[in-house]
Amino acid sequence: MATKDVGDAPRAIIALGLEGSANKLGVGIVKHVYAAGVSGLETELQPEYIELANVRDTYNPPAGEGFLPRDVAAHHRALINPLLKQALAEANVGPEDIDCICYTKGPGMGAPLQSVALVARTLSQLWGVPLVGVNHCVGHIEMGRAITGAQNPVVLYVSGGNTQVIAYSQQTYRIFGETLDIAIGNCLDRFARVLKLPNEPNPGYNIEQYAKRGSKFIELPYTVKGMDVSFSGILSHIEKLAKTESDKHSPEDLCYSLQENMFAMLVEITERAMAHIGSSEVLVVGGVGCNKRLQEMMGIMAEERGGKVFATDMRYCIDNGIMIAQAGALAFARGFTTPIEESWITQRFRTDQVHIEWRV
């Protein structure tokens, strides 16, 4: 729906966010306070951020197995009501206090997205509250900006489904580089399955712990093509080493080498983007952004350039509901809503397809 100037009177917005694009189901509630109102499309919105609730549950298959969309969707359907009740109780608010219901429109896995969108539509009609469809990737970025205070960073967005280097320009988060095949988180998850590592708390975390005990670097393919990267060949190569040369390479050394190799690729393209736009800030978001070694390597690069790295902990870098509430509340403050008849979901929804009207 078209946006509009919504006035300059003092205002508070309480937004409910529902996230379920993959195996994490999150419900979050955020309050934005605009002491001077939200008028003036030429002014960037900078509300006071108040976190009211941020609850989450994760579907974890057995070690060595991935998760199927139908199983994840069943998990979300079973737990969405208990999580919703828990979030409302923690926030000490009721349906009458909610100004908008924000849900993940995409990208993500079809069945889980649809399950959560159905709940969002139902609540919207039951409570008489408008819907706001949110791009999952933009949710990560806006959550990172709110928590860290980063002003104009190059964004490294790394997760199970996405790998992108992003910079803001003219009300769009523009993609400077991205994976040409699989996401880095997907690469890590699939290699964790080869090693039969547990899925709890998540495969990437367990690879990180193994990597800390590794010491021998094993040469792997290093695939940077301009501003883009490729991980599928690296995965095929290291899978072969793990299966055919296990007597030569320990799981710890394989995890160590995989991390060092892929993170170096990300550092390279991120630094190139920083040089291009003249930024001294890097904001790392997405589930893989929790990795301390990635943060360390990115920090070394940024420090050499006189810059700084911003990152969040597992509460915010892993998929969560409050990031959807955060981005949705900003869009809602500019008058954006999603009519019921347009509240479909999509598995393909690029970061640069969103009009970021709350920034200038």
Side-chain angles (χ1 to χ4, degrees):
M1 183 176 290
T3 56
K4 60 184 179 180
D5 192 328
V6 292
D8 57 2
R11 188 181 181 193
I13 294 173
I14 297 179
L16 170 69
L18 304 176
E19 156 59 26
S21 61
N23 67 323
K24 275 77 174 177
L25 175 64
V27 180
I29 303 175
V30 69
K31 182 176 182 179
H32 286 180
V33 178
Y34 296 90
V38 295
S39 65
L41 295 178
E42 71 287 348
T43 305
E44 183 164 327
L45 295 184
Q46 295 181 316
E48 178 188 357
Y49 166 88
I50 303 173
E51 180 178 319
L52 300 181
N54 186 24
V55 298
R56 177 173 58 205
D57 194 271
T58 302
Y59 170 74
N60 283 314
E65 297 182 16
F67 47 82
L68 299 175
R70 65 173 180 266
D71 296 332
V72 177
H75 167 269
H76 291 1
R77 290 193 298 269
L79 291 175
I80 185 67
N81 279 339
L83 283 184
L84 179 61
K85 292 177 181 178
Q86 181 184 348
L88 291 171
E90 288 186 10
N92 194 28
V93 298
E96 67 280 1
D97 301 308
I98 304 297
D99 293 295
C100 60
I101 296 171
C102 312
Y103 73 99
T104 304
K105 192 177 185 70
M109 302 168 69
L113 281 171
Q114 189 62 266
S115 297
V116 175
L118 176 61
V119 173
R121 289 188 210 104
T122 303
L123 293 176
S124 174
Q125 294 175 90
L126 284 174
W127 295 353
V129 176
L131 276 176
V132 178
V134 174
N135 179 286
H136 178 88
C137 315
V138 172
H140 273 297
I141 295 171
E142 293 302 339
M143 194 73 249
R145 292 179 64 232
I147 295 299
T148 66
Q151 295 301 308
N152 187 35
V154 167
V155 179
L156 176 65
Y157 172 35
V158 279
S159 68
N162 298 274
T163 302
Q164 297 175 344
V165 175
I166 302 162
Y168 174 81
S169 176
Q170 298 179 325
Q171 296 192 314
T172 303
Y173 284 118
R174 303 187 183 274
I175 300 171
F176 275 62
E178 59 190 322
T179 178
L180 296 173
D181 39 53
I182 62 174
I184 187 169
N186 183 252
C187 182
L188 292 168
D189 290 352
R190 287 165 66 177
F191 187 59
R193 294 205 293 270
V194 170
L195 297 181
K196 298 291 192 295
L197 300 184
N199 284 309
E200 297 183 24
N202 61 74
Y205 174 83
N206 293 321
I207 281 189
E208 181 182 2
Q209 305 316 306
Y210 268 57
K212 290 177 181 177
R213 301 193 295 270
S215 58
K216 185 181 73 173
F217 181 77
I218 303 160
E219 187 172 347
L220 300 171
Y222 184 94
T223 315
V224 174
K225 301 181 179 181
M227 282 297 295
D228 297 325
V229 292
S230 172
F231 298 119
S232 59
I234 301 170
L235 177 62
S236 297
H237 185 83
I238 199 168
E239 281 184 345
K240 183 178 179 180
L241 292 179
K243 293 176 180 178
T244 64
E245 299 184 17
S246 58
D247 56 329
K248 298 180 182 178
H249 310 300
S250 71
E252 290 80 3
D253 287 338
L254 289 170
C255 290
Y256 167 73
S257 302
L258 182 63
Q259 278 199 169
E260 294 295 306
N261 195 72
M262 295 197 300
F263 292 171
M265 292 162 55
L266 296 177
V267 169
E268 178 182 337
I269 61 173
T270 302
E271 182 174 18
R272 196 174 294 132
M274 292 176 70
H276 183 81
I277 70 169
S279 175
S280 61
E281 297 179 336
V282 178
L283 173 62
V284 184
V285 300
V288 181
C290 298
N291 188 292
K292 297 300 184 183
R293 178 56 180 158
L294 175 60
Q295 294 178 17
E296 179 186 22
M297 292 174 66
M298 203 63 65
I300 292 170
M301 178 274 290
E303 185 178 1
E304 290 176 350
R305 299 182 59 84
K308 185 177 180 181
V309 168
F310 296 86
T312 61
D313 59 29
M314 285 190 178
R315 292 173 297 169
Y316 305 110
C317 63
I318 293 176
D319 291 353
N320 59 85
I322 202 164
M323 74 182 199
I324 303 303
Q326 172 68 12
L330 290 169
F332 181 73
R334 284 298 189 210
F336 177 83
T337 58
T338 302
I340 290 289
E341 60 271 19
E342 297 178 14
S343 62
W344 36 265
I345 57 93
T346 174
Q347 292 181 264
R348 294 174 174 83
F349 189 7
R350 287 177 63 81
T351 314
D352 52 10
Q353 290 179 302
V354 182
H355 183 204
I356 310 299
E357 195 165 357
W358 53 91
R359 296 191 64 180
V360 295

